[in-house]
Amino acid sequence: MAARGARRLLGSLWIALFLGQPDPAAAAARSSSQSPAGSTVRTFTPFYFLVEPVDTLSVRGAFVILNCSAYCEPSPKIEWKKDGTFLNLVSDDRRQLLPDGSLLINGVVHSKHNKPDEGYYQCVATVESLGTIVSRTAKLTVAGLPRFTSQPESTSVYRGNSVILNCEVNADLVPFVRWEQDRQPFFLDDRVFTLPSGALIISNVTDGDGGLYRCVIESGGSPKYSDEAELKVLPDPEVPLNLVFLRQPSPLTKVTGQSAVFPCVTSGFPTPVIKWMRNEEELTIEDSERFLLLAGGSLEISDITEDDAGTYACIVDNGNETIEAQADLTVQAPPEFLKQPANIYAHESMDIVFECEVTGKPTPTVKWIKNGDMVIPSDYFKIVKEHNLQVLGLVKSDEGFYQCIAENDVGNAQAGAQLIILEHAPATTGPLPSAPRDVVASLVSTRFIKLTWRTPASDPHGDNLTYTVFYTKEGINRERVENTSRPGEMQVTIQNLMPETVYVFRVVAQNRHGPGESSIPLKVATQPEVQLPGPAPNIRAYANSPTSITVTWDTPLSGNGEIQNYKLYYMEKGTDNEQDVDVGGHSYTINGLKKYTEYSFRVVAYNKHGPGVSTQDVVVQTLSDVPSAAPQNLSLEVRNSKSIIIHWQPPPAGTHNGQITGYKIRYRKASRKSEVTESIGGTQLFQLIEGLERGTEYSFRVAALTSNGTGPATDWISAETFESDLDETRVPEVPSSLHVRPLVTSIVVSWTPPENQNIVVRGYAIGYGIGSPHAQTIKVDYKQRYYTIENLDPSSHYVITLKAFNNVGEGIPLYESAVTRPHTDTSEVDLFVINAPYTPVPDPSPMMPPVGVQASILSHDTIRITWADNSLPKNQKITDARYYTVRWKTNIPANTKYKTANTTTLSYLVTSLKPNTLYEFSVMVTKGRRSSTWSMTAHGTTFELVPTSPPKDVTVVSKEGKPRTIIVNWQPPSEANGKITGYIIYYSTDVNAEIHDWVIEPVVGNRLTHQIQELTLDTPYYFKIQARNSKGMGPMSEAVQFRTPKALGSAGKGSRPLDIGPDYKPPMSGSNSPHGSPTSPLDSNMLLVIIVSVGVITIVIVVIVAVFCTRRTTSHQKKKRAACKSVNGSHKYKGNSKDVKPPDLWIHHERLELKPIDKSPDPNPIMTDTPIPRNSQDITPVDNSMDSNIHQRRNSYRGHESEDSMSTLAGRRGMRPKMMMPFDSQPPQQSVRNTPSTDTMPASSSQTCCADHQDPESATASYLANAQEEDSGQSLPTAHVRPSHPLKSFAVPAVPPTGSTYDPALPSTPLLTQQVHSVKTASIGTLGRTRPPMPVVVPSAPDVQETTRMLEDSESNYEPDELTKEMAHLEGLMKDLNAITTA
């Protein structure tokens, strides 16, 4: 037996594996898991269909096979039913059963009056002692006799047009239709196709399409031919022909998976273009696999789905006219199981439910089959929840196979499950309880009975006993069972009984050994039920108006006597407040309902016994109407002199009375009554009104629209356009004055607007609080000049701040403080305060805070806050004067203050927030003097926005040991507005080149450094950086210039290659290496020795050059220098010897640098020399000299304007803010001799004389740029200041070569004409002390004529007295050098 079971299980697994059926072992395992404990488990037997018959179309005389095959062990017996009756296949000579169970029909018989083979067939499989299952029902259709309902007719067609030849036959004959041309088969191609009806369509007709056509039906037997029709092809018409439909699309009903063809055949000239629309949306046929445009423009849809249902429109256009036709496609779906019945284990007397959930279109009907026979609903077999089968009080004969059969108009399907009735497990050894005693019905009603009993005599305590109650109708052997809910309980209530019916009850006790004896059966009759009315049928409700609904119904079918009246119950959907009204007839109209609101209705009939059964609820919505309230929060924002933007919120909830379809804006000049109306559709809540007049006051109001019309409008609010277009690229300046006047419980604040009237001011923000101005904030209109702060505490010190604001932000605040007066102060009666005796009032009890605060993010700067108020009624309608205060802040930075706003609705739109920022929100409610605490906080993070600022602190350094590689460093943008996902580095040798000509280096992620390799040596490069986040690219940084070094041999350990060019600055002792590595003491000493040696050599060269220059001095050049010195008042060449002091050397945290002099003899160098940066802050920007084109100079100074326009960083880097020129576009500069000077401040740079042609404007700007970095304001302007690194540099000056002119260190950007040589100045620091400032007179620009004369001789020479002073400077320098080396 075990071997047989194993073979059966293996066979089931094999079949399931190859045929895709469910694993029977798995099914058995799943089902056995449901078997009750303590039962002998029997496994479920796999029994199912492998193949089921399908709908078949045949012709007369043909043979047909209806396939069917079932699996089970042992093999099932197969039988067939036709139209519900078993076929006797033994004595049938035309129909026979094939070995696999299929049905073969030979020579199908079909005539007008005899159709024995057409019908519905069903396969039935039976296994003795197990059960029976039935297959789905298959329809066999036999094609009718060949017959034409319409035949082709002769016609003519213009070449290139389309034509239709009709050949209408029955739908079942269409597959057997073909066409002939001139009695030869006519083949279909991309120009020719047949409709499902059989008609032939030829598009783009050619001359070869002419001829005789006929259609042929070949459905078995001899073919049947239609009449012949001649098709004539005419030449192209010379005049346009009107568009005419030859065949329009017609409504279709198709089943999912089928194909559908919508014909759209037209005639006309020129040849038209056809496009298709579905549900008013154009179909994209080109990219679709299921939509195909057939010849002539007809549409074919293959593999139809339910989503394809809708209205299809064919639009035909030939340029002269357009015609349109449309038709509906209805899609049906055969039944499909969403949930199939599952196998069930059960015991006798139990109740079970087989679940079956199906879908389909139309909605399928469900019937149940047990062992091949239909289940008829009864008291014990019930259909519940539309499709499920409930079996009550199981008996042994209920065992078998149950099948759920679902069917609709387009198909049917079946799914089954097995029910096994288990035997109770034999009781274990031990005493069983005796019968329960004194079983009585303690409560008897019409529909239920309550039973009670006492414990069995064998177990008087009965604490561990459970009880089972068996009951059945008298005379019925099908018992049902009910168990007590817990051990020891000795009562149970039996529900769902029938009225006036006798039931038999018995009770069995059970202990751990098993069930005991049954009690004596007890017969109990339920009470007769009062004859109450049934539900009123055909209840219907429809809306008459926006506030009324009519409900109608019919008389109950089971009135059980005369109906006295009806009660109509109704309530608003979503509420629990049901109302009722008594009605004498069969209809009633309820008035006074809310507009555009859903209501539910039900009816209860009353007779003399009372209320009957209620009907099901019906739901209907009242009609829409115009809004009953105006939009909220209307505000105006003046954009410029000709436009105003309007913002508003929708009307309060509950007042829309329909779907808001748009808004109507009315506006007018305040001085006129004539209005201009502008309507907008959709849900847009703002509108920009343009084309207004300058400096004119306009009034606006807004009304909401529904499909019914326009609702009430808001009150008129006004705003005045600007007189001129003001600047709103920056925040307003500080208000010019602020005055406060304290009273007892209020402070009157007055102010005047900012002095700069060219910046837009959109309003003023007043902050106030005790000790801090950030407790409360109030915003007022820009026209307002005073405000009274109310509800303050007496005798309290308030700090008040006033800021002007616009769309860019808030300006600089103005602060004031005031102390409110005490209660006893009656010295002054103010206009705003009534001087009445003060009566102390106890603090009112606080209100409940709002609940359910939610933050909905709308954009990068807008969040909507909503909440509920528990102190309002359930409809949340505000009927009193309460208002709500919303506050919000962000925790970055940590000291951010709260911002607040008031509103009278349960929502507020917070705007002007920062992108990608987490905000917290809370709400409080105020009513009169009562206020709540702040609510629970809600949080929301605004959406990201593209970065609005460039990366900052961009620096460039060369990589040690690799002169062709540079390292770019930067910091993230201050306004990243989101997570930075990368950067783009742009670099070029031409700063003025178009940005698309720059080289791009992408940087992925949030790295802040990047290497760029393979650059050209000794070449200036310009770098810009752009940040990006998920929303896009931000702005570019300003260009940073860096010149690559010249490549020479290695400078030793820890240093980069030496460059002996004129711009190289080697690091000296006390400093770090270029990349931050410390320099050893040995290297420092060696560096000092090198400096001293070079200094001595430089002195010798200076002396030789000075002697040579002295001999070449001319009287004309003497006059020029004398004039320059008299104008400049230079202290370097005049004064006694005590004024000439050797410069000190300040080496504390400094880099000492040796700056060689340019010895290039080339009078026309290609590029200006630039020092190699030592670190990221020593990048030398464009090195422009003074304006040497004297003809273009101006005798003017920038003063404060230059100071404002030149930032500290710009001054440090030596960049002019007004203009920048690339290195390769600058004319080379003539250089003058370098003269060391003393510093006026510790961080200042060297000062020099103006030489022969000093530019006064560049000199002034040079001073101002440097002065911004000084802490003290006592330094005087110098003729020229070279910006330097904050750690000063040191250089050994030398006498320049003959013919050189002075080169200022500060870059300037005049347009230069002459070509000069460039020499860098050297900055000299001080050693531990500060020299007194030396007065330097800034020169005026010389006259043009004098300047011309000065330029005639470009060579410079020096006089002996000047050389003497120069030597004195150098001696002082040597003394300081000796002091350093000895130290």
Side-chain angles (χ1 to χ4, degrees):
M1 189 70 182
R4 180 183 176 187
R7 286 197 303 271
R8 178 188 306 173
L9 184 59
L10 288 174
S12 302
L13 288 170
W14 187 87
I15 293 293
L17 182 65
F18 283 90
L19 298 176
Q21 295 296 326
D23 184 356
R30 286 194 301 270
S31 301
S32 65
S33 65
Q34 304 172 11
S35 62
S39 304
T40 302
V41 177
R42 291 164 44 199
T43 59
F44 294 105
T45 303
F47 188 15
Y48 49 83
F49 284 102
L50 300 173
V51 180
E52 295 184 80
V54 296
D55 295 347
T56 304
L57 173 65
S58 180
V59 295
R60 185 177 57 179
F63 70 91
V64 173
I65 294 180
L66 298 175
N67 294 310
C68 178
S69 178
Y71 169 78
C72 188
E73 282 289 343
S75 298
K77 173 187 176 183
I78 302 296
E79 298 177 285
W80 283 88
K81 283 183 178 181
K82 177 181 180 294
D83 299 331
T85 303
F86 280 102
L87 293 175
N88 184 5
L89 301 178
V90 177
S91 59
D92 197 325
D93 56 348
R94 287 193 311 107
R95 290 179 286 208
Q96 59 179 329
L97 189 66
L98 299 181
D100 65 346
S102 299
L103 177 64
L104 171 64
I105 305 176
N106 284 305
V108 172
V109 176
H110 190 80
S111 63
K112 184 176 181 181
H113 302 290
N114 184 24
K115 302 175 182 179
D117 295 331
E118 195 172 56
Y120 293 90
Y121 290 80
Q122 191 174 40
C123 178
V124 180
T126 304
V127 175
E128 292 295 335
S129 73
L130 189 60
T132 301
I133 58 175
V134 298
S135 71
R136 70 177 299 276
T137 303
K139 182 181 181 181
L140 174 60
T141 305
V142 182
L145 299 176
R147 192 165 41 247
F148 297 102
T149 56
S150 68
Q151 301 196 40
E153 297 178 355
S154 298
T155 185
S156 59
V157 60
Y158 288 103
R159 185 187 302 115
N161 263 350
S162 299
V163 67
I164 293 182
L165 296 174
N166 289 321
C167 180
E168 305 291 339
V169 297
N170 293 336
D172 51 8
L173 290 173
V174 170
F176 309 106
V177 173
R178 65 177 178 85
W179 281 84
E180 291 182 351
Q181 179 188 19
D182 297 328
R183 303 200 174 185
Q184 296 297 320
F186 187 64
F187 299 103
L188 307 181
D189 54 24
D190 56 353
R191 290 190 311 111
V192 183
F193 72 98
T194 57
L195 293 177
S197 63
L200 178 68
I201 296 179
I202 307 174
S203 65
N204 194 18
V205 172
T206 63
D207 293 334
D209 294 328
L212 296 175
Y213 287 83
R214 67 179 180 179
C215 65
V216 186
I217 302 177
E218 294 178 329
S219 60
S222 59
K224 185 174 181 65
Y225 296 94
S226 70
D227 297 338
E228 284 189 329
E230 183 180 6
L231 176 63
K232 294 182 179 179
V233 180
L234 306 178
D236 292 338
E238 297 180 357
V239 296
L241 300 177
N242 291 335
L243 287 178
V244 177
F245 275 114
L246 301 179
R247 181 66 60 91
Q248 297 186 23
S250 57
L252 294 176
T253 298
K254 293 292 181 178
V255 180
T256 54
Q258 293 182 343
S259 297
V261 175
F262 280 115
C264 182
V265 185
T266 59
S267 174
F269 188 80
T271 303
V273 176
I274 296 178
K275 68 176 181 178
W276 283 88
M277 309 281 287
R278 181 179 65 186
N279 298 331
E280 300 182 356
E281 293 183 2
E282 186 171 356
L283 279 176
T284 55
I285 299 175
E286 293 80 6
D287 300 330
S288 174
E289 297 179 355
R290 298 190 304 108
F291 292 89
L292 177 65
L293 201 62
L294 301 176
S298 298
L299 177 66
E300 181 181 25
I301 310 171
S302 58
D303 193 16
I304 289 177
T305 65
E306 291 189 57
D307 294 336
D308 294 330
T311 301
Y312 289 77
C314 168
I315 301 175
V316 185
D317 182 15
N318 67 352
N320 296 329
E321 61 177 323
T322 302
I323 57 177
E324 178 181 349
Q326 63 183 26
D328 292 331
L329 173 62
T330 302
V331 179
Q332 296 180 332
E336 182 179 350
F337 286 99
L338 301 178
K339 188 172 186 179
Q340 297 187 7
N343 297 333
I344 295 177
Y345 285 111
H347 288 295
E348 286 190 88
S349 302
M350 288 178 59
D351 298 341
I352 63 165
V353 174
F354 283 108
E355 294 184 339
C356 179
E357 189 174 347
V358 296
T359 182
K361 192 173 182 182
T363 302
T365 60
V366 170
K367 62 182 179 180
W368 284 87
I369 303 291
K370 179 204 168 189
N371 290 331
D373 297 325
M374 184 176 296
V375 175
I376 300 175
S378 64
D379 292 342
Y380 295 94
F381 287 86
K382 297 183 178 180
I383 304 297
V384 295
K385 293 184 179 179
E386 297 183 0
H387 300 151
N388 298 341
L389 175 65
Q390 183 182 42
V391 184
L392 305 176
L394 289 176
V395 295
K396 186 64 177 177
S397 60
D398 292 332
E399 192 173 73
F401 285 88
Y402 291 78
Q403 289 177 275
C404 174
I405 307 292
E407 56 186 355
N408 62 8
D409 294 344
V410 293
N412 63 89
Q414 63 84 23
Q418 185 179 4
L419 171 63
I420 292 180
I421 306 295
L422 297 175
E423 300 290 341
H424 283 283
T428 59
T429 57
L432 298 176
S434 60
R437 296 173 293 175
D438 301 335
V439 179
V440 295
S442 59
L443 183 60
V444 179
S445 180
T446 58
R447 298 277 180 176
F448 69 88
I449 292 176
K450 182 177 181 181
L451 296 177
T452 58
W453 56 88
R454 292 171 57 212
T455 57
S458 61
D459 194 349
H461 295 290
D463 294 336
N464 296 323
L465 296 180
T466 57
Y467 298 91
T468 303
V469 178
F470 296 90
Y471 66 98
T472 182
K473 288 183 183 179
E474 188 178 28
I476 302 296
N477 62 354
R478 182 183 288 272
E479 276 189 326
R480 298 184 62 188
V481 65
E482 187 78 27
N483 296 316
T484 55
S485 57
R486 62 180 182 273
E489 186 178 18
M490 291 179 291
Q491 64 178 19
V492 71
T493 300
I494 309 298
Q495 304 276 1
N496 300 319
L497 303 178
M498 299 296 294
E500 205 171 0
T501 305
V502 177
Y503 287 89
V504 179
F505 298 91
R506 62 186 182 92
V507 182
V508 175
Q510 183 171 344
N511 61 14
R512 60 189 179 89
H513 300 294
E517 299 179 15
S518 173
S519 66
I520 300 174
L522 172 68
K523 293 184 179 181
V524 182
T526 54
Q527 296 289 336
E529 191 169 45
V530 179
Q531 302 298 306
L532 297 175
N538 300 329
I539 178 172
R540 295 179 297 273
Y542 55 90
N544 301 319
S545 71
T547 59
S548 64
I549 292 177
T550 296
V551 185
T552 63
W553 58 90
D554 294 338
T555 303
L557 300 178
S558 57
N560 295 326
E562 181 183 358
I563 300 297
Q564 294 182 341
N565 71 312
Y566 299 91
K567 183 163 287 189
L568 174 61
Y569 295 88
Y570 66 96
M571 68 176 176
E572 183 181 341
K573 195 78 170 174
T575 66
D576 55 0
N577 183 25
E578 190 173 47
Q579 299 174 278
D580 62 82
V581 60
D582 291 328
V583 182
H586 292 91
S587 67
Y588 188 81
T589 299
I590 302 175
N591 297 300
L593 303 178
K594 294 182 181 179
K595 300 177 180 179
Y596 200 64
T597 303
E598 284 190 335
Y599 287 86
S600 64
F601 300 88
R602 65 186 182 92
V603 174
V604 176
Y606 280 72
N607 63 9
K608 63 181 180 178
H609 299 292
V613 180
S614 172
T615 63
Q616 295 291 326
D617 287 357
V618 293
V619 178
V620 68
Q621 188 177 49
T622 51
L623 300 180
S624 61
D625 198 2
V626 298
S628 55
Q632 307 175 90
N633 299 338
L634 180 63
S635 63
L636 303 178
E637 179 184 326
V638 181
R639 299 298 297 269
N640 49 46
S641 62
K642 293 186 177 181
S643 64
I644 295 176
I645 190 169
I646 312 172
H647 295 270
W648 65 89
Q649 294 296 316
T655 63
H656 294 189
N657 301 337
Q659 193 73 30
I660 298 294
T661 59
Y663 294 89
K664 182 174 290 185
I665 302 169
R666 292 187 174 91
Y667 64 96
R668 67 189 184 195
K669 291 183 181 179
S671 59
R672 298 184 180 179
K673 296 301 181 183
S674 58
E675 298 179 9
V676 178
T677 301
E678 184 167 325
S679 296
I680 61 172
T683 57
Q684 180 178 319
L685 299 176
F686 65 92
Q687 180 68 8
L688 179 65
I689 306 297
E690 298 181 296
L692 305 179
E693 297 180 8
R694 297 175 181 266
T696 305
E697 183 177 2
Y698 286 87
S699 298
F700 297 82
R701 67 179 181 181
V702 180
L705 301 173
T706 63
S707 57
N708 301 83
T710 307
T714 61
D715 295 332
W716 291 98
I717 64 171
S718 301
E720 184 177 344
T721 55
F722 299 140
E723 288 288 348
S724 59
D725 290 331
L726 303 181
D727 179 17
E728 199 171 3
T729 61
R730 48 185 173 151
V731 298
E733 295 183 357
V734 62
S736 54
S737 69
L738 172 63
H739 304 281
V740 296
R741 186 156 66 94
L743 302 175
V744 177
T745 59
S746 62
I747 296 178
V748 180
V749 183
S750 60
W751 62 89
T752 54
E755 293 181 357
N756 188 350
Q757 300 292 315
N758 295 323
I759 303 177
V760 174
V761 176
R762 298 199 177 276
Y764 296 91
I766 304 170
Y768 64 94
I770 298 177
S772 171
H774 305 297
Q776 300 287 339
T777 302
I778 298 170
K779 289 189 176 182
V780 298
D781 188 70
Y782 71 97
K783 294 182 180 179
Q784 200 158 332
R785 296 292 180 266
Y786 69 89
Y787 183 80
T788 302
I789 305 174
E790 305 283 358
N791 301 321
L792 303 181
D793 296 332
S795 303
S796 299
H797 184 276
Y798 283 88
V799 179
I800 300 165
T801 180
L802 176 72
K803 293 178 285 188
F805 66 86
N806 56 20
N807 288 337
V808 178
E810 296 180 341
I812 301 173
L814 199 59
Y815 292 90
E816 191 59 79
S817 63
V819 178
T820 51
R821 300 175 183 174
H823 282 304
T824 56
D825 188 355
T826 58
S827 60
E828 182 177 351
V829 177
D830 193 79
L831 292 175
F832 304 100
V833 179
I834 300 176
N835 189 13
Y838 174 77
T839 303
V841 178
D843 291 334
S845 59
M847 300 183 69
M848 293 293 293
V851 297
V853 181
Q854 293 184 348
S856 303
I857 293 86
L858 303 182
S859 68
H860 67 274
D861 64 349
T862 304
I863 295 180
R864 180 187 298 278
I865 309 302
T866 58
W867 60 90
D869 190 344
N870 281 345
S871 62
L872 291 175
K874 290 186 177 180
N875 60 5
Q876 294 287 289
K877 185 174 183 181
I878 301 173
T879 57
D880 49 24
R882 70 180 65 200
Y883 66 92
Y884 301 87
T885 303
V886 182
R887 73 174 183 180
W888 64 94
K889 65 170 287 189
T890 177
N891 292 328
I892 303 175
N895 60 350
T896 305
K897 303 300 181 182
Y898 279 103
K899 293 186 178 182
T900 60
N902 295 334
T903 180
T904 58
T905 62
L906 295 176
S907 66
Y908 185 76
L909 204 64
V910 183
T911 59
S912 302
L913 302 178
K914 295 180 180 179
N916 193 45
T917 303
L918 174 64
Y919 286 88
E920 66 175 42
F921 304 85
S922 53
V923 187
M924 67 180 293
V925 58
T926 302
K927 180 180 177 183
R929 296 183 62 241
R930 299 174 60 203
S931 295
S932 72
T933 58
W934 290 105
S935 68
M936 298 285 286
T937 58
H939 295 81
T941 301
T942 51
F943 295 148
E944 291 188 0
L945 185 67
V946 295
T948 52
S949 68
K952 57 186 180 181
D953 299 339
V954 181
T955 59
V956 185
V957 297
S958 61
K959 187 171 183 180
E960 184 177 0
K962 295 184 179 180
R964 296 167 65 89
T965 301
I966 60 97
I967 301 174
V968 185
N969 303 298
W970 64 91
Q971 292 299 315
S974 56
E975 296 174 1
N977 298 338
K979 181 181 179 182
I980 296 298
T981 58
Y983 296 86
I984 294 181
I985 301 175
Y986 300 81
Y987 65 94
S988 173
T989 58
D990 183 7
V991 73
N992 294 323
E994 295 292 334
I995 195 62
H996 56 75
D997 293 330
W998 290 49
V999 182
I1000 293 177
E1001 282 276 339
V1003 179
V1004 180
N1006 56 0
R1007 291 194 295 116
L1008 300 176
T1009 183
H1010 186 69
Q1011 289 190 13
I1012 300 177
Q1013 302 176 349
E1014 302 300 322
L1015 298 181
T1016 305
L1017 295 175
D1018 195 23
T1019 304
Y1021 284 85
Y1022 302 88
F1023 298 84
K1024 297 182 180 181
I1025 303 184
Q1026 188 178 28
R1028 71 170 181 266
N1029 59 18
S1030 62
K1031 293 297 183 181
M1033 306 299 300
M1036 292 185 185
S1037 65
E1038 292 293 332
V1040 171
Q1041 183 263 340
F1042 177 80
R1043 190 182 189 95
T1044 51
K1046 297 179 180 178
L1048 289 179
S1050 175
K1053 180 180 179 180
S1055 64
R1056 68 182 161 195
L1058 289 173
D1059 188 342
I1060 61 173
D1063 299 327
Y1064 179 59
K1065 303 176 184 178
M1068 298 187 67
S1069 67
S1071 67
N1072 291 339
S1073 63
H1075 297 286
S1077 59
T1079 306
S1080 67
L1082 181 60
D1083 294 337
S1084 301
N1085 294 334
M1086 181 65 70
L1087 196 59
L1088 287 175
V1089 172
I1090 295 173
I1091 292 174
V1092 173
S1093 302
V1094 175
V1096 172
I1097 297 172
T1098 306
I1099 292 172
V1100 175
I1101 296 173
V1102 168
V1103 173
I1104 296 173
V1105 173
V1107 173
F1108 179 80
C1109 293
T1110 303
R1111 295 177 180 177
R1112 300 187 58 182
T1113 303
T1114 63
S1115 60
H1116 179 67
Q1117 290 166 336
K1118 292 178 183 178
K1119 292 179 183 179
K1120 286 196 295 180
R1121 275 195 298 277
C1124 179
K1125 287 185 284 186
S1126 65
V1127 173
N1128 296 339
S1130 174
H1131 64 282
K1132 298 181 180 179
Y1133 307 108
K1134 292 185 179 181
N1136 51 30
S1137 60
K1138 67 180 181 181
D1139 293 331
V1140 180
K1141 297 181 181 180
D1144 295 329
L1145 299 178
W1146 181 44
I1147 64 173
H1148 183 59
H1149 296 301
E1150 299 294 79
R1151 298 177 186 267
L1152 303 181
E1153 68 177 30
L1154 177 63
K1155 189 167 185 182
I1157 297 174
D1158 188 2
K1159 299 184 178 67
S1160 174
D1162 187 1
N1164 187 18
I1166 297 176
M1167 291 186 180
T1168 304
D1169 294 325
T1170 306
I1172 300 175
R1174 295 168 300 172
N1175 55 36
S1176 62
Q1177 296 184 358
D1178 265 349
I1179 301 170
T1180 305
V1182 181
D1183 189 9
N1184 296 325
S1185 299
M1186 293 186 307
D1187 185 357
S1188 55
N1189 184 356
I1190 306 301
H1191 300 281
Q1192 297 183 7
R1193 294 186 306 176
R1194 295 293 182 268
N1195 186 16
S1196 61
Y1197 293 86
R1198 299 221 176 251
H1200 292 292
E1201 179 184 349
S1202 298
E1203 184 174 359
D1204 292 339
S1205 63
M1206 199 162 194
S1207 66
T1208 302
L1209 184 59
R1212 184 179 299 123
R1213 295 175 177 173
M1215 291 189 291
R1216 285 286 296 273
K1218 297 296 183 183
M1219 183 187 305
M1220 291 203 314
M1221 295 179 61
F1223 272 56
D1224 51 6
S1225 66
Q1226 293 184 56
Q1229 309 289 311
Q1230 279 191 329
S1231 58
V1232 304
R1233 65 191 179 92
N1234 297 337
T1235 304
S1237 65
T1238 58
D1239 288 348
T1240 60
M1241 303 290 293
S1244 65
S1245 300
S1246 60
Q1247 305 166 358
T1248 59
C1249 176
C1250 73
D1252 290 347
H1253 52 279
Q1254 170 72 35
D1255 184 359
E1257 178 176 336
S1258 69
T1260 305
S1262 304
Y1263 163 70
L1264 291 172
N1266 189 55
Q1268 292 177 358
E1269 298 183 37
E1270 306 296 337
D1271 295 332
S1272 171
Q1274 297 178 355
S1275 61
L1276 298 176
T1278 60
H1280 190 82
V1281 178
R1282 170 183 172 83
S1284 68
H1285 189 277
L1287 303 179
K1288 298 176 185 173
S1289 59
F1290 169 76
V1292 179
V1295 177
T1298 306
S1300 64
T1301 56
Y1302 177 69
D1303 176 25
L1306 181 67
S1308 58
T1309 55
L1311 300 176
L1312 306 177
T1313 56
Q1314 64 269 34
Q1315 298 177 347
V1316 294
H1317 295 289
S1318 178
V1319 176
K1320 301 301 176 192
T1321 61
S1323 60
I1324 302 176
T1326 60
L1327 180 61
R1329 63 182 181 273
T1330 305
R1331 293 187 182 274
M1334 297 183 180
V1336 178
V1337 178
V1338 179
S1340 301
D1343 295 335
V1344 175
Q1345 294 81 3
E1346 180 184 356
T1347 305
T1348 306
R1349 290 194 303 271
M1350 293 168 65
L1351 290 173
E1352 289 174 356
D1353 186 2
S1354 61
E1355 295 183 353
S1356 299
N1357 293 301
Y1358 301 87
E1359 292 184 350
D1361 58 343
E1362 295 172 346
L1363 292 176
T1364 302
K1365 294 180 181 180
E1366 185 69 16
M1367 292 301 297
H1369 280 285
L1370 294 175
E1371 289 175 3
L1373 175 63
M1374 293 304 301
K1375 289 179 181 179
D1376 289 336
L1377 285 173
N1378 293 331
I1380 292 173
T1381 55
T1382 57

